[in-house]
Amino acid sequence: MTRNSDESFAALVDTANPAASAYRQQHSNNPYIHSHLHTNTSIYPPSQQPNFMDPFFDDDDDQVDAPHSTFPMYSASQPMHSQESGLPLTRSSAPPAGIGASSVSLATTTNGQPQGWAFDDDAMSPTFSARPSFPSEPSIIPSRPQKRRRRWKWPWQREKNLAGERIIALNNQPMNDGYCSNFVSTSKYNLVMFLPKFLTEQFSKYANLFFLFTACIQQIPGVSPTNQYTTIVPLAVVLLASAFKEVQEDLKRHQSDSELNARLGKALSGNTFVARKWKDICVGDIVRVESDEFIPADLVLISSSEPEGLCYIETSNLDGETNLKIKQASPQTSSLTSPSLASTLHGKLRSEQPNNALYTYDGTLELLSDVNVPKTVPLGSDQMLLRGAQLRNTPWVYGIVVFTGHETKLMQNATAAPIKRTAVERQVNIHIIFLFVFLLALSVGSTIGASINTWFLSGQQWYLAEPSTFTGKAKAFIEDILTFIILYNNLIPISLIVTMEVVKFQQSQLINADLDMYYAPSDTPALCRTSALVEELGQIEFVFSDKTGTLTRNEMEFKKCSVAGDAYADVAEEGGDDGEGTKTFEELRGVLYGDPEGQVSTAAIGDREAEAAREFMTLLAVCHTVIPEVRDGKTRYQASSPDEAALVAGAEILGYQFHTRKPRSVFISINNVPVEYEVLNICEFNSTRKRMSTVVRTPTGSIKLYCKGADTVIVERLAKSQPYTQKTLVHLEEYATEGLRTLCVAYRDVPEVEYRQWATIYEQAAATINGRAEALDRAAELIEKDMFLLGATAIEDKLQDGVPDTIHTLQMAGIKIWVLTGDRQETAINIGMSCRLISESMNLVIVNEENARNTGDFIQKRLSAIKNQRSTGELEDLALVIDGKSLGFALEKELSKSFLELALMCRAVICCRVSPLQKALVVKLVKKNQKSILLAIGDGANDVAMIQAAHVGVGISGVEGLQAARSADVAISQFRYLKKLLLVHGAWSYQRLSKLILYSFYKNITLYMTQFWYSFFNNFSGQIAYESWTISFYNVIFTVLPPLVIGVFDQFVSARILDRYPQLYALGQKNVFFTKTAFWLWVGNALYHSLILFAFTVILFWGDLKQSTGLDSGHWFWGAMLYLAVLLTVLGKAALVSDLWTKYTVAAIPGSFIFTMLFLPLYAVVAPAIGFSTEYYGLVPRLWTDAVFYFVLLLVPIVCLSRDFIWKYYRRTYIPLPYHIAQELQKYNIPDYRPRQEQFQKAIKKVRAVQRMRRNRGFAFSQTENGRQDQAKLIRAYDTSKSSARPTGY
């Protein structure tokens, strides 16, 4: 291939998971690639080659001037007609791979990912070239090809993308050995990479790096004033504790991977299907998947149990959509419905190379006949069954494996488990650098002091035998610097990292044990899988949420309807402003079948209303593409749209049961009386028409048109003098205000003559090859007119409990919520309204353009308009809605900044029809350009890339499986638990950890700065003021509990107050508790306390304090007294900063001092007695009986802390922060009168809602539409009255 086509193809196979590095192969020339492949097939002119860039993480890419790219996934496929089949899907399927310039070009990525975009933490996934050759006859088996040796690849080395095509032999497994296995790994570590990866992560923490340096210089003889193991042993303990935690967390990932890889599938072996683990399934295998099973690898569908090779799959794990997708096998293979027939397949399958495009596929099946004549069968996305999808409502399917393991489209959309580091950790690293510079300055200053003595005063200090030569003095200077570094090294507390790890682990355990986040129906508690990120839960500014399964329950319910101007619901409601209330469904049954119990007045029901009600129910039972299936005596409905299934189920509840479909008719039971309606024509739903119609012949022989769709398109096609229009529109406004999914329903009688004329036009349109869909739409327009409005339906896409309240509360907390969903635009807007993401007062900015130029122009115009409006002082809430196609353009480098600027001006953002990779790209865009903490929440495999791209990932362990929960940092079972997770646990964790870190720095600086002040009095000799093991006990025993208790149990306000006043969450977003200013104030306070403590005791002991016995007190007497005064001061500071006192606080703060006063005399007696340490010999009787000792302990800490107490009083009284006021509200239990105001505000919002919904209805209908499948032809393939005649597949 030419260089241009190689480059254009290289953009396709953009990969996402470095875990897929198992087998890499070098591309080889393929003899099956036709000669015209060697021509330049690039879709770009030479001057417009695509710009391969990384706009998120490459700061130098501004030098590249690249044109906008196009996205073939959104363009229409070139039609291709097969002589062997008249099915419509073959007319529009892709040409054989590598032949011609298909509009589904391989030159660009097809999932909405801009040209050349790659994740910063992604390595290239493996791709494989095709095998060299295959036999031309099934009877000839060539020698098995040699396996290529695996090439060594450095971790930073990138693989070249493969061009050409993949060739797979059918029923000839030895020829397919070169492809990767179906083994999948999502773990963070493996045996080989654990040590380098773990050590890299640990030593990226500067504290660990500093202590490693200290431990090294301690090994130099004659330099260290302390024992050579006092640093390296604690550091090893810290690393071992961290390693244990990492191993435990990653073992859980390995365990879930093992469970997934050990799932059993069925693969063809000879003439029978045998059970085989998923990891053992290979490329080229023919596998059998049964109903409700997950698909183990990417398959090409060859046959199924359904007529004409049809099957239904649910792709909620891939794109979040719950409506079932219809797939159809090629007519050339759909008859292979037994293992013996499937084993006769011979030939080869030409396939595109692995890529991350979920919605496209190009391939060709070349089958060999009995006379070895190849038959070409084109393959497209209609035959592609993706790993992670689930087979629904279809007993079984056969498929050929084309992509396995990390080459499947699902895994190509995944990203590697990243190493996440919190903002607080990064700040701690910066503070440690500051302290290290400060420590160096102290060391150099002390060394200069020592040098002055050595150079200028050595004559007066001749008895010290100091070096006199220049070389000796220079050597002493270097050694002194190292000595003082070791002496002052605990200015940076070595216990800080361990304490932080322990506290974070305990905070995660508190999250796990919270009963408010326990979901009893599924017995699922919250699970914090990554404890290292708990404090970031208190600093979130953006939440990126999936819709399906996260905000909603994946359940549709027929909730209300308007029939002949009367409103009905499953539960009656009181009357509104017009005095008319909602009636119950029981009253509707009375209208339909008469009222034997006299609940409905017959006088109030006219014949016209009763007739309209019967037509309404008939329409719901007849006008659809649902297929009934009886299982366990209960009818289940196969529907490609959940809305349709809900409407048919609603009709069944009201006595109109649809139970049988034949190729030309449907059978319904009206109040247990069977009735047959002949289906003449179906005018399909699409997003342009926004309606669906069915032409039927009734049992009486008359022809009727039944139509359902959005009110905007139905109302304009009604006949004049409609009796129910106004009342129905009022009901629609009410339904839309409640966030229900609405449809209008209408019908008309069609004269026989008119129908015959129209049927001729319709058949001509159906026979059109090019522009068939447009021709059918024009034909439908001719008959969809002069209709009679029967009423409207309202379906509830059930939200999870508490979703609207949670979203509203999070928005009040200053958190911006973006919804990223694979659903259609109308559906997403509808859910946005029902869950209060979009409020009544917001104006919608809808971006739905066809190309990059129009998208850019629209964004720029809206930006200018909003800026001009806001410059005048007029502010209005905006909500941005953008579809996947426009988002693909908006994420390109030229538009990304403008798009982000527009999105940040909006209070809510909804992205529709987005691929998993686009979700991650949106998160990465905000992550790079905003200094904000991001959280992503989802429940399916399609959300994993987004969850891993955000700072914090939250998984919902819900209906769609556990893929997201396994990859997330925190797993919860309901979206509503996010409120407590962030506003309470997050806020507490951030405040606790901030206080712990600052206090840890404070207590160490206070003690070790007294060592520095002492240097001025000991000739800068490096003499320590305290006994060496007593210093070690300071961090390990005497002050270890206060920071732990503060970090685990402290609460600056209660959970109730945090829930009542979500605005307090802004303290974490603004990083109020852990600023650089706060850090240096604590450092300054520590210097002040150390100076007061040292100065007071030195003045008291000036000339050495004489005891009553007449003896001098001595160095260790003074040192022990100063040490205990420092200890009492730092414990008093802990008491001052503690907001909540529990029994653990009492045990930690007063308890630590009491323990010290008991332990230290015991140590001072025992240590000298056993020869362990002799400094304290004879100290106890002298020190603990001296009145001056107790005077110092009482007076000096009070003097030190009086300034802190006065400042605390002044600040709380005269310049209080918001949480100070909240603490007063909590202490005095002041009531909150805001609920009365909210009732008044709700009344105002109701008026605004009605006004707004007149402009924007709650219409939604998630019917599958792809332009390739003829719904009418598909449903005519079914005869459910002969279900026992289906093949068993065995």
Side-chain angles (χ1 to χ4, degrees), residues 1038-1074:
F1038 300 148
T1039 63
V1040 73
L1041 288 181
L1044 275 176
V1045 170
I1046 288 173
V1048 176
F1049 297 107
D1050 196 51
Q1051 296 177 10
F1052 68 108
V1053 285
S1054 67
R1056 180 175 59 88
I1057 294 293
L1058 286 169
D1059 183 59
R1060 186 195 292 178
Y1061 302 104
Q1063 295 84 353
L1064 289 172
Y1065 190 75
L1067 294 169
Q1069 294 172 329
K1070 296 174 183 175
N1071 198 20
V1072 169
F1073 295 118
F1074 195 62

Side-chain angles (χ1 to χ4, degrees), residues 73 276 339 422 497 520 791 913 916 961 1022 1048 1079 1087 1115 1126 1151 1197 1207 1262 1288:
M73 69 173 284
R276 191 180 294 175
T422 68
I497 304 300
R913 303 294 295 170
V1048 176
F1079 170 74
L1087 293 174
H1115 174 78
V1126 169
W1207 168 244
S1262 55
T1288 63

Side-chain angles (χ1 to χ4, degrees), residues 116-413:
W117 277 39
F119 292 134
D120 61 319
D121 46 11
D122 293 348
M124 303 299 284
S125 294
T127 46
F128 297 88
S129 58
R131 304 299 302 167
S133 61
F134 293 94
S136 58
E137 300 180 20
S139 56
I140 302 175
I141 305 295
S143 60
R144 183 167 175 165
Q146 292 183 354
K147 278 192 176 182
R148 299 174 186 173
R149 289 185 301 173
R150 191 187 308 174
R151 292 184 293 110
W152 172 257
K153 188 179 81 69
W154 295 104
W156 56 84
Q157 184 180 343
R158 285 184 174 270
E159 281 285 335
K160 291 183 179 179
N161 292 330
L162 291 183
E165 58 190 27
R166 161 176 291 209
I167 297 182
I168 300 164
L170 305 181
N171 284 316
N172 192 351
Q173 192 52 49
M175 302 303 297
N176 300 321
D177 276 347
Y179 301 116
C180 91
S181 74
N182 204 32
F183 180 85
V184 166
S185 171
T186 60
S187 58
K188 188 175 176 181
Y189 303 107
N190 56 40
L191 283 174
V192 176
M193 292 303 296
F194 174 75
L195 206 58
K197 203 170 183 180
F198 171 75
L199 292 177
T200 301
E201 182 178 354
Q202 291 302 313
F203 287 111
S204 65
K205 299 172 184 174
Y206 294 161
N208 289 343
L209 205 58
F210 168 72
F211 289 120
L212 180 65
F213 166 71
T214 305
C216 290
I217 62 175
Q218 270 187 326
Q219 310 309 311
I220 302 173
V223 167
S224 175
T226 58
N227 189 289
Q228 61 183 2
Y229 301 113
T230 54
T231 302
I232 199 166
V233 171
L235 180 62
V237 171
V238 169
L239 294 178
L240 284 173
S242 299
F244 178 76
K245 185 176 76 73
E246 289 288 327
V247 168
Q248 287 296 104
E249 290 180 353
D250 207 52
L251 280 176
K252 294 175 183 175
R253 299 190 188 99
H254 278 282
Q255 184 179 356
S256 63
D257 289 340
S258 299
E259 290 172 3
L260 188 67
N261 290 316
R263 282 186 183 176
L264 291 178
K266 294 179 181 177
L268 186 65
S269 177
N271 287 329
T272 183
F273 283 99
V274 295
R276 191 180 294 175
K277 291 181 179 179
W278 276 24
K279 66 179 181 180
D280 298 326
I281 290 174
C282 305
V283 171
D285 281 349
I286 296 177
V287 300
R288 173 190 170 103
V289 181
E290 297 181 354
S291 184
D292 296 329
E293 289 184 350
F294 286 96
I295 296 169
D298 287 356
L299 314 176
V300 166
L301 177 64
I302 57 173
S303 63
S304 79
S305 60
E306 303 303 289
E308 300 194 21
L310 296 170
C311 74
Y312 289 87
I313 63 165
E314 182 181 316
T315 59
S316 55
N317 271 342
L318 299 168
D319 56 20
E321 292 193 57
T322 52
N323 53 302
L324 302 183
K325 309 291 192 303
I326 300 173
K327 300 291 185 178
Q328 185 172 21
S330 169
Q332 279 74 28
T333 61
S334 61
S335 59
L336 305 174
T337 56
S338 69
S340 56
L341 291 173
S343 63
T344 62
L345 268 179
H346 291 288
K348 55 181 176 283
L349 191 158
R350 297 180 182 273
S351 169
E352 65 187 20
Q353 293 288 359
N355 59 72
N356 53 24
L358 291 177
Y359 306 112
T360 61
Y361 176 73
D362 292 326
T364 306
L365 201 58
E366 295 185 2
L367 303 177
L368 292 178
S369 64
D370 295 337
V371 292
N372 292 332
V373 177
K375 180 191 292 184
T376 301
V377 179
L379 301 173
S381 58
D382 285 326
Q383 289 81 44
M384 173 55 67
L385 307 181
L386 299 180
R387 179 187 175 119
Q390 194 172 15
L391 188 65
R392 294 284 196 186
N393 300 337
T394 309
W396 58 266
V397 297
Y398 290 169
I400 302 171
V401 178
V402 286
F403 303 129
T404 49
H406 288 278
E407 292 183 342
T408 58
K409 291 178 182 284
L410 173 64
M411 296 306 296
Q412 293 274 309
N413 273 278

Side-chain angles (χ1 to χ4, degrees), residues 1027-1169:
E1027 191 263 345
S1028 57
W1029 283 105
T1030 307
I1031 296 177
S1032 300
F1033 293 153
Y1034 181 78
N1035 276 322
V1036 177
I1037 300 175
F1038 300 148
T1039 63
V1040 73
L1041 288 181
L1044 275 176
V1045 170
I1046 288 173
V1048 176
F1049 297 107
D1050 196 51
Q1051 296 177 10
F1052 68 108
V1053 285
S1054 67
R1056 180 175 59 88
I1057 294 293
L1058 286 169
D1059 183 59
R1060 186 195 292 178
Y1061 302 104
Q1063 295 84 353
L1064 289 172
Y1065 190 75
L1067 294 169
Q1069 294 172 329
K1070 296 174 183 175
N1071 198 20
V1072 169
F1073 295 118
F1074 195 62
T1075 59
K1076 290 180 181 177
T1077 305
F1079 170 74
W1080 286 112
L1081 286 175
W1082 277 80
V1083 170
N1085 198 30
L1087 293 174
Y1088 167 75
H1089 285 175
S1090 67
L1091 190 58
I1092 293 291
L1093 287 159
F1094 180 80
F1096 196 98
T1097 53
V1098 164
I1099 291 170
L1100 184 65
F1101 278 76
W1102 197 266
D1104 206 347
L1105 183 70
K1106 301 293 186 294
Q1107 291 192 279
S1108 58
T1109 58
L1111 299 174
D1112 284 343
S1113 52
H1115 174 78
W1116 300 116
F1117 186 103
W1118 166 78
M1121 184 185 296
L1122 175 59
Y1123 179 87
L1124 288 169
V1126 169
L1127 179 65
L1128 190 55
T1129 302
V1130 299
L1131 291 176
K1133 180 66 175 177
L1136 269 179
V1137 299
S1138 292
D1139 291 309
L1140 179 70
W1141 279 76
T1142 65
K1143 59 184 179 183
Y1144 304 106
T1145 317
V1146 174
I1149 297 175
S1152 289
F1153 187 70
I1154 293 169
F1155 174 79
T1156 306
M1157 292 296 286
L1158 296 174
F1159 175 83
L1160 200 58
L1162 185 65
Y1163 170 76
V1165 171
V1166 174

Side-chain angles (χ1 to χ4, degrees), residues 1 231 331 409 413 440 536 643 716 777 938 963 966 984 1074 1088 1212 1270:
M1 296 179 69
T231 302
K409 291 178 182 284
N413 273 278
L440 283 179
E536 295 218 315
D643 303 78
E716 64 187 21
D777 289 353
Q963 289 90 339
R966 286 169 177 162
V984 178
F1074 195 62
Y1088 167 75
R1212 293 180 67 88
D1270 185 342

Side-chain angles (χ1 to χ4, degrees), residues 2 16 37 88 118 138 189 246 271 306 308 341 380 517 577 643 718 737 952 980 995-996 1018 1024 1155 1228 1238:
T2 64
L37 269 176
Y189 303 107
E246 289 288 327
N271 287 329
E306 303 303 289
E308 300 194 21
L341 291 173
M517 295 195 293
D577 298 334
D643 303 78
L718 299 177
T737 305
V952 181
K980 185 164 189 186
K995 195 180 287 185
L996 177 151
N1018 64 22
I1024 53 177
F1155 174 79
Y1228 297 107
E1238 288 182 359

Side-chain angles (χ1 to χ4, degrees), residues 748-762:
R748 66 171 289 214
D749 291 305
V750 182
E752 187 77 32
V753 175
E754 180 187 348
Y755 172 73
R756 292 186 182 280
Q757 293 173 346
W758 177 83
T760 305
I761 297 170
Y762 183 84

Side-chain angles (χ1 to χ4, degrees), residues 637-818:
Y637 297 117
Q638 299 180 23
S640 58
S641 160
D643 303 78
E644 281 209 317
L647 290 174
V648 175
E652 181 181 4
I653 291 170
L654 293 167
Y656 278 64
Q657 184 189 15
F658 165 60
H659 58 81
T660 304
R661 179 180 290 282
K662 289 190 174 184
R664 293 289 169 185
S665 61
V666 295
F667 290 80
I668 63 175
S669 293
I670 302 176
N671 206 16
N672 297 322
V673 177
V675 180
E676 180 181 6
Y677 283 82
E678 183 184 353
V679 180
L680 301 175
N681 301 94
I682 294 176
C683 301
E684 295 180 24
F685 171 90
N686 61 46
S687 56
T688 306
R689 284 167 39 79
K690 294 186 178 180
R691 63 192 183 277
M692 171 196 174
S693 300
T694 304
V695 183
V696 300
R697 190 181 298 278
T698 67
T700 61
S702 60
I703 298 175
K704 291 187 178 181
L705 169 79
Y706 290 127
C707 184
K708 62 184 179 187
D711 58 317
T712 50
V713 297
I714 297 293
V715 170
E716 64 187 21
R717 288 168 175 79
L718 299 177
K720 295 179 181 179
S721 304
Q722 293 289 312
Y724 310 128
T725 304
Q726 289 306 316
K727 288 185 177 180
T728 303
L729 291 179
V730 170
H731 294 153
L732 277 171
E733 288 167 3
E734 293 176 359
Y735 299 157
T737 305
E738 296 171 27
L740 300 176
R741 302 157 70 95
T742 58
L743 290 174
C744 272
V745 296
Y747 89 109
R748 66 171 289 214
D749 291 305
V750 182
E752 187 77 32
V753 175
E754 180 187 348
Y755 172 73
R756 292 186 182 280
Q757 293 173 346
W758 177 83
T760 305
I761 297 170
Y762 183 84
E763 288 169 4
Q764 290 175 350
T768 305
I769 295 178
N770 294 321
R772 176 175 174 273
E774 292 78 7
L776 286 172
D777 289 353
R778 288 193 297 271
E781 286 282 355
L782 299 176
I783 199 169
E784 293 171 338
K785 62 182 182 179
D786 299 331
M787 294 186 289
F788 182 83
L789 183 64
L790 296 170
T793 63
I795 297 172
E796 181 185 22
D797 186 357
K798 281 192 173 180
L799 293 173
Q800 287 194 11
D801 292 338
V803 165
D805 176 60
T806 301
I807 287 179
H808 180 64
T809 306
L810 293 179
Q811 286 180 328
M812 288 178 65
I815 297 173
K816 297 180 178 67
I817 299 177
W818 294 23

